[in-house]
Structure formats: C-alpha cells, structure tokens
Amino acid sequence: MCMTTNTTHTMNATTTMNAGHMTSAAHTTNTATNATTNATTNARINFAKAAPKAFRALVGFDIAAREGLDPALVELIQIRASHLNHCAYCLHMHTNDARKAGESEDRLHMVAVWREAPHFFTEKERAALALTESVTLVADGGVPDAVYAEAAARFDEKELAQVLALIFAINTWNRVALATAKMAGTDER
C-alpha cells in the first residue's frame, strides 16, 4: 500500500506537514498468461494540502488531547487503536515513537494481546486499552458500562476526558491514513 500524503501527528507540540508525492499500486494478474503483473496507479489526495484548515484543526486537536497524559500511555492507546483499525502507517509511526521514548520491546509486542499478558501493563494502562478498544469498535456494541466504569475509576475526570479525546484523535488519524493510502515506513517527520 502506498500513499500520496504524509499526514503527521506527533508526540509533542512541534508538528510539521510533509506532502511527499507517492502513488498506490494495485496489482492485477494477466489471465492470458497468468504470469504478468501490471501495476496501476491510483493517486490519492494530499489531505493536508487539499483541506489545510481541517488538517491543522486535527493537528491542534491531537496536541490538545495529549496534554497532561503520560507519553507512554499516549503511545499505547495509539498503537492499540491502530492495530484494531489495521492502520499499518500509524502503527509503524507510533511503535517507533514509543521506542524512541524508551518503551520496551516486550511491552510493544504485548499491546495486541494485553488481556493475555496483563502483568506487562498497569491497571491504569489496562483500563485505557479496554476503553480504546470499546471506543474504536463502538459499532460492535457501544462502550460497555463496565469498561467505562473501570476507566473512570483509574482516571480523574480531566484525565478521562483527555484519554477519550486521544482515542477520538487516533481513530481519525487512522481513517485519514487509510483513506489516503499512506504506506507504513514513509513517515518523514
């Protein structure tokens, strides 16, 4: 999967917009010989360039959502939502950001299976991961009262609002990256 834009969201207030031009290749098999593969180019919009006010608003929302939250928790939430949304671009970006911030490889490998490896995560992190899953997969059954109550027990009201805002933000970024066909490993921040 390739992309046309490099939409960025960062761990700090310094955010840059990169708009490298890349294309997406869809491979088709030549049925006559069953041996020839053609690449067809499907250009996608540069979201940052085509909708700069919306892009800047999303960057601002992302920055505001992180305020006051532990950077490790921020990355865990973003990684888990990106897993669930199958967003390789954001998953690559946030696992790299987490490593740069000192996150262990063991914990990064366990995020997708955090319920089966609870000892890798604090009670607060587990509550945030459960809330992340419920909000990200909201169409599958809403946000159960028990999940919300557990998060509310672990975070004060302001923190809980920030966690929710971060979950909303990463889900939006995942959709931007997927809709514009961004390729994992091409983050140019």
Side-chain angles (χ1 to χ4, degrees):
M1 173 162 113
C2 297
M3 75 223 84
T4 60
T5 64
N6 288 320
T7 308
T8 61
H9 46 288
T10 64
M11 278 185 30
N12 57 41
T14 305
T15 304
T16 60
M17 292 188 280
N18 296 314
H21 177 71
M22 296 175 202
T23 57
S24 175
H27 298 285
T28 58
T29 303
N30 181 330
T31 55
T33 63
N34 204 19
T36 305
T37 302
N38 285 329
T40 57
T41 302
N42 296 318
R44 302 278 177 111
I45 67 166
N46 176 332
F47 180 73
K49 186 175 179 180
K53 286 183 181 179
F55 182 82
R56 284 191 304 272
L58 183 53
V59 169
F61 179 64
D62 184 78
I63 292 167
R66 298 163 185 268
E67 190 174 301
L69 293 178
D70 175 14
L73 180 66
V74 167
E75 294 307 328
L76 292 176
I77 289 168
Q78 294 180 126
I79 290 166
R80 187 62 187 130
S82 298
H83 282 144
L84 296 169
N85 288 320
H86 301 245
C87 185
Y89 178 83
C90 293
L91 183 59
H92 183 264
M93 177 190 301
H94 292 295
T95 54
N96 280 339
D97 287 350
R99 281 184 194 96
K100 289 174 189 171
E103 188 60 76
S104 75
E105 288 298 317
D106 283 342
R107 282 175 34 104
L108 290 176
H109 292 296
M110 294 297 126
V111 173
V113 293
W114 65 271
R115 282 187 177 85
E116 290 77 23
H119 58 286
F120 282 93
F121 305 99
T122 68
E123 289 179 354
K124 199 170 193 176
E125 289 168 338
R126 291 192 307 268
L129 290 168
L131 187 61
T132 299
E133 290 178 357
S134 292
V135 173
T136 299
L137 303 173
V138 70
D140 293 345
V143 178
D145 289 340
V147 169
Y148 187 88
E150 182 65 22
R154 302 290 172 206
F155 295 94
D156 66 32
E157 191 173 275
K158 180 177 178 8
E159 287 176 312
L160 182 57
Q162 294 299 122
V163 167
L164 284 168
L166 182 65
I167 296 167
F168 304 155
I170 188 57
N171 274 280
T172 302
W173 283 122
N174 289 164
R175 282 149 180 78
V176 169
L178 291 165
T180 60
K182 296 182 66 61
M183 180 186 290
T186 61
D187 175 31
E188 297 175 359
R189 292 176 295 159

